[in-house]
Structures are given as structure tokens and as C-alpha cells.
Amino acid sequence: MYELAERLVREGRLSAPEYLALLTRCDDSTLAFLRNEAVRTAQERFGCAIFVRGLIEIGSICRNDCLYCGLRRSNRRAERYRLTSQQILSACEAGYEAGFRTFVLQGGEDPWWNDERLVPLIEEIHRRWPEAALTLSLGEREEASYRRLFEAGAARYLLRHEAADCALYEKLHPAEMSHAGRLNCIESLKRIGYQTGMGMMVGAPGQSPEALVEDILLMERIVPEMIGIGPFLPHHDTPYAGEPAGDLRLTLLLLAILRLRFPRALIPATTALATLHPRGRIEGILSGANVVMPNLSPEQVRRKYAIYDGKASTGAEAAEGLRLLARELETIGYRINFSRGDYQ
Ligand code: SAH
């Protein structure tokens, strides 16, 4: 195993069977080696600095029915909310004051947020904070819509591919969603010029190691600027309520592999990772992650954005917890970088 790991470090890539071998048979000392090298790779480019993005969860209303997500439309018990443009602007303002220079608007697929409503909001954010980057994560839309939002001032878009393996994608999603549709969206985003984020959950129900290799290969083909991965976490009101959470060790191994394969990528230590384990965020950074996305949503709606159980939104996960986050980072010799942190 160690030899394979060394070659990944040296050559920056492996073949599919080699990725599979690493994912299934990585011993502890090889994992430690890969994580060390991933950290070294991240530091060469980014130093000991972690970019922060202010995450604003703009609503929990969703027309989709993804089997893993607590906000799926079939979940009658989910609490639904929709922030107003005014509330979103206030959250940006508070974030800007706190030092954030990237805002991420994320939410369920809510048709109320059509272009007529989103474009003026994006333009206003762009006008008021021109030096801040705006990232959207609002699911699947028409290419023409993505284009309008881009022209209005959104520079980045997060749309995890969720599963490169077609059969797995179909298992995790309702029949009306399609693997091809998801990929089309990602390709549109790229074509338009967005810095584009892809990614998947680790340990999603039915996910084989082979499927994870497919995920790596798909990202090799598309070359995302951002890669978001975190463990699958069950939500009690979904069909996957009884499924086990994704594995910490496998998530950290994948983070390390992805950092080594995509040295320039912006890779967050995700909230899901921080929810899975108290040291998740730190261990993620110690596997090559270089982004943290604290929650800027208004306090009263935070618990309603319940995509999985136990979602962390306080302490160092909260925008008010920046000092806490800074202290946590300090313990491993890192500090917050407040710049926009574009892909370079
Ligand atoms: N509606 C948007 C945003 C989804 S939330 C979209 O479709 O892109 C962002 C990510 O959270 C999803 O892409 C998914 O990978 C992740 N997620 C959803 N449910 C989850 C769960 N139960 N456990 C872990 N991650 C989950």
C-alpha cells in the first residue's frame, strides 16, 4: 500500500484499480503518510491559512425528494421557512462586518426563487459588497438561468454530483431526477465560467468502494474548482433513518487522496464532518482541507435547515463563533484567511 501512496504523491494520480486498492486496503501508517503529504501539498499553495465562507441557508422549502435529505418534499414533518431578500442582505451585512468576503447562498430547490427574484438580490449583494465573492448552491436550474445569475454577479456555484455511479445516483434519488441531468447542470456551470463545486457523501447507503472510484474519475474529467465531501448522516424522517453514518477514517482518506489529486482545489472541512466527530473539522484540515464554512443564517431558522440529524450550527460552526474557530485552528498552527480565496 505504501508504494501506491508514494506514487500518488509523486505522480499526482493513480489508475482506477489503484484507487480502489488504496480505498479498500489502506493501513494506518499509509493513511498517516497520505494525510501528512496532503497537508504538505495544501500548505505549499495556501500556507497555514484556512479560507472562511459565510453560509446563509436561504430556505428549507424543496421540490425534490432526495432519499437521504431531511428537507425532501415527502417529509411532512420538516419545518419549512424562506428568508426574505431583506433577511439575506442583513445576514451578508453581519457577515461582512465580521470579516467574511465570501457569501454562500444555499437552499432547497424552491421555485419561488425564480430569476426575477434572484437576479435583483444578487445584483444588490454585488453592488453593496463588490469585493466579496458570491457563491450559490440552489440545486438544478436551466442553463439560461445559471447564466443570468452569473451575469448578475454570482461567481461560484456548488452542485455536488452526489454519485458518479449511475445506479447509485438512481437509488439515492427519486425517479424524476436523473444522473444525466445533474451532470448537464455541472457542465453548464463550467461552460458559463462559474468556479464550480462538485462532491459526494461518503458512506451513502449502497455506496461501494467502486462507486467512490467512479466519483474520483468523474472529478478528474470535470476538474472542479471546489470539492465538498462529508460523511452521510441519517435523518430520522427519511427512508434512510436507520442507515449507519459514513465512516470518519474513510472520509479523511478520501480528503487526502482528493487533495493530492487536486492540489489547487478549495476543499472544505464540512459541517457534516464536524457533526460526525468533535474533532472532525480539525482532522479534515489535517487531511488537506483548506476551507471552513461557518453558518451566517439567522439564529431562529438554523435548526430548520435540518438536512441530517444533529447538524452542528453553533460554536465554531457559527459565524459568531469565529473567535472559537480561530482558537481551534491555532491549536494546529493554522489561522483564518479572510480574503475571497478564489481558485488559482
Ligand atoms: N439543494 C441544493 C443544496 C443541497 S444541501 C443542491 O441540490 O445542491 C448540500 C449537500 O448536503 C447536498 O449536496 C448533499 O450532498 C448534502 N447532504 C444532504 N443530505 C445529507 C445527509 N443526510 N448527510 C450528509 N450530507 C447530506
Side-chain angles (χ1 to χ4, degrees), residues 68 106-107 139 159-160 162 182 201 231-233 305 307-308:
Y68 45 83
Q106 184 167 84
L159 188 71
R160 290 188 178 181
E162 311 294 0
R182 194 80 176 173
M201 297 176 289
F232 160 76
L233 297 169
Y305 197 81
I307 55 180
Y308 46 75

Side-chain angles (χ1 to χ4, degrees), residues 1-2 25-36 249 253:
M1 271 314 108
Y2 185 76
R25 301 205 305 271
C26 186
D27 55 86
D28 288 348
S29 72
T30 304
L31 174 61
F33 168 74
L34 282 171
R35 294 181 68 201
N36 263 323
R249 187 179 186 274
L253 170 60

Side-chain angles (χ1 to χ4, degrees), residues 38-59:
V39 165
R40 207 219 312 259
T41 301
Q43 286 183 1
E44 269 171 24
R45 219 163 270 270
F46 307 103
C48 289
I50 299 298
F51 294 115
V52 286
R53 322 297 199 194
L55 180 63
I56 305 170
E57 294 155 339
I58 70 165

Side-chain angles (χ1 to χ4, degrees), residues 192-243:
I192 293 164
Y194 281 100
Q195 292 172 51
T196 304
M198 295 174 67
M200 67 286 178
M201 297 176 289
V202 179
Q207 180 187 62
S208 62
E210 287 81 1
L212 285 171
V213 173
E214 292 297 316
D215 289 322
I216 299 173
L217 299 185
L218 176 63
M219 292 192 279
E220 288 187 339
R221 179 162 76 74
I222 308 234
V223 193
E225 284 79 14
M226 303 171 283
I227 301 176
I229 68 163
F232 160 76
L233 297 169
H235 184 287
H236 64 281
D237 282 322
T238 63
Y240 294 152
E243 296 289 333

